[in-house]
Amino acid sequence: HVQLVESGGHSVQAGGSLILSCAASGCITSRYCVGWFRQAPGKEREGVAAIDSDARTRYADSVKGRFTISKDNTLYLQMNNLKPEDTAIYYCAAGPTMGWLLCSLNPLKYNYWGQGTQVTVS
């Protein structure tokens, strides 16, 4: 079982930056996908960025050039030039690797989820 705990959510002004962190514990396989997802009020959860155990990354078009996903023993999401439409609860998630494919941004492909951290951009 994998436990994920996000931190770093905050209220910021448009144009500002934030770094989200996700600490993982438990039994994590050697090959995996981990990612960041977000859910705004009244909207479905959407994938933001994902990274696999080989450090290959994938981003949603809406955040390309502004967000950067990275990992060491912790998963990070560097968010720059934040916009009001980035306001959401951000979740980290872990799931199986996609083989030779890049990690999916489909939330249904992920098994383990954190509790979420609120990001508000005004």
Side-chain angles (χ1 to χ4, degrees), residues 2 8-9 11 21 24-25 32 35 50 53 84 87 95 100 102 109-110 117:
V2 176
S11 295
S21 300
S25 61
Y32 54 83
S53 43
T87 295
W100 62 273
L102 294 177
K109 301 294 186 181
Y110 291 77
T117 186

Side-chain angles (χ1 to χ4, degrees), residues 5 16 25 44 53 56 65 77 93 98 104:
V5 179
S25 61
E44 293 186 352
S53 43
R56 298 183 301 164
L77 185 67
M98 299 293 291
S104 174

Side-chain angles (χ1 to χ4, degrees), residues 10-72:
H10 215 271
S11 295
V12 296
Q13 291 189 336
S17 297
L18 277 177
I19 300 176
L20 303 183
S21 300
C22 175
S25 61
C27 183
I28 301 175
T29 62
S30 59
R31 300 192 61 77
Y32 54 83
C33 282
V34 286
W36 288 97
F37 297 79
R38 66 187 182 187
Q39 188 164 18
K43 294 188 177 181
E44 293 186 352
R45 191 169 298 189
E46 63 175 357
V48 174
I51 186 168
D52 66 15
S53 43
D54 293 327
R56 298 183 301 164
T57 59
R58 185 173 186 176
Y59 295 91
D61 288 343
S62 59
V63 305
K64 281 181 181 176
R66 300 188 299 122
F67 291 10
T68 302
I69 189 171
S70 63
K71 64 179 180 68
D72 44 36

Side-chain angles (χ1 to χ4, degrees), residues 73-93:
N73 292 324
T74 299
L75 179 67
Y76 303 99
L77 185 67
Q78 171 74 52
M79 303 187 294
N80 297 326
N81 190 22
L82 283 160
K83 304 175 180 180
E85 52 263 42
D86 295 318
T87 295
I89 299 175
Y90 283 71
Y91 301 88
C92 65

